[in-house]
Amino acid sequence: VLSIKAELETAVRTREEGEKNMDTITTHREYEALDKQISEASLKEAELRKSLQKEEKTLAELDDIIKSTEAMIASQENDLNTSKETLNNQINTYKTELDELGKQEEGIVPGLDQEILFKFQRIIQRNSEGIVAVKNGVCTGCHMILPAQFANEVHVGEKILFCPYCSRILFYEQSDDDSQETFFNDSGSLADLDDDFADDEEYDEENEFMDEDESSDDDVSGDDGDELEEDSEE
Ligand SMILES: [Zn+2]
């Protein structure tokens, strides 16, 4: 835009000088030369004004883009700072919590069985929770069904027991759902559970047997159809 403005200034000056000199000329030749100078300068002036307008429009558009981008950056920076502050607060809360837990740990650890403590520390390296409830005979850490006798021992709570599947330390918790508890009390042991599964298998086998019957029937009828076709062809 600045360079066009400078060029425009030159064109305007050339035209104006030409117009001024018109008053002092004496010959037709001088007139023609001046006339040419003026019209060329006018043409150039018009062209330059047109491109100046175009460039100024582009400049204004670019300026708008810069302004909206700057506003966006400012708003994102603002969001970022807010998030950063929230995160820092969270970190501080965790640090306080950690200090508190550290103090509690110092109070508890000296009285603990060293072997149990070692096992527990290994468990919590792998899992977020090292001590989980047994509910309805199921370990709530790994959701495996525990042997009924073992679940009863957890319920009695005389010694520290580890889940045989996920190694977490277990404690008994009253079930929310009484019907499932009843189901477990009724079955009594895993052996009974196995019987239930066995019943299911028998049922499936019966179904399979029926399927085989049906499929063999299909085969026969299929063969019949083939034979009929062959007959008709003959
Ligand atoms: Zn488990």
Side-chain angles (χ1 to χ4, degrees), residues 18-153:
E19 281 166 353
K20 216 166 84 187
N21 290 341
M22 271 294 191
D23 299 337
T24 56
I25 52 158
T26 49
T27 67
H28 186 69
R29 230 178 121 189
E30 277 177 329
Y31 168 79
E32 276 185 337
L34 264 183
D35 190 50
K36 200 179 166 220
Q37 182 193 325
I38 291 168
S39 59
E40 272 176 6
S42 298
L43 203 68
K44 181 98 183 166
E45 192 186 329
E47 272 172 23
L48 286 169
R49 282 194 196 284
K50 212 172 141 189
S51 57
L52 183 65
Q53 214 175 24
K54 201 178 132 202
E55 291 303 321
E56 275 177 336
K57 199 182 156 212
T58 311
L59 187 65
E61 280 168 2
L62 288 173
D63 211 40
D64 281 349
I65 292 172
I66 289 171
K67 275 188 186 126
S68 67
T69 308
E70 275 174 349
M72 202 173 75
I73 290 170
S75 131
Q76 282 180 352
E77 260 173 0
N78 200 28
D79 287 352
L80 203 67
N81 285 335
T82 313
S83 306
K84 211 167 149 184
E85 209 177 307
T86 312
L87 282 175
N88 277 334
N89 285 341
Q90 247 176 41
I91 288 171
N92 284 335
T93 311
Y94 284 136
K95 274 182 184 160
T96 316
E97 219 175 283
L98 200 62
D99 285 349
E100 197 62 40
L101 288 170
K103 277 180 203 151
Q104 281 182 34
E105 189 182 15
E106 279 168 29
I108 295 168
V109 163
L112 285 181
D113 180 310
Q114 285 305 301
E115 202 189 316
I116 299 267
L117 183 65
F118 178 72
K119 275 189 181 176
F120 180 69
Q121 277 165 347
R122 295 218 9 209
I123 294 164
I124 56 172
Q125 274 170 14
R126 291 197 305 266
N127 310 292
S128 59
E129 273 185 292
I131 307 178
V132 295
V134 173
K135 259 182 166 180
N136 299 322
V138 175
C139 166
T140 56
C142 63
H143 306 289
M144 294 293 286
I145 299 171
L146 301 169
Q149 184 54 40
F150 182 79
N152 279 339
E153 278 180 54

Side-chain angles (χ1 to χ4, degrees), residues 139 141-143 163 165-168 170:
C139 166
C142 63
H143 306 289
C163 172
Y165 304 109
C166 69
S167 305
R168 290 181 178 94
L170 301 170

Side-chain angles (χ1 to χ4, degrees), residues 197-211:
F197 286 133
D199 286 348
D200 285 348
E201 275 167 27
E202 265 171 42
Y203 180 70
D204 286 338
E205 276 166 21
E206 273 169 22
N207 280 352
E208 277 171 32
F209 187 59
M210 281 174 70
D211 286 346

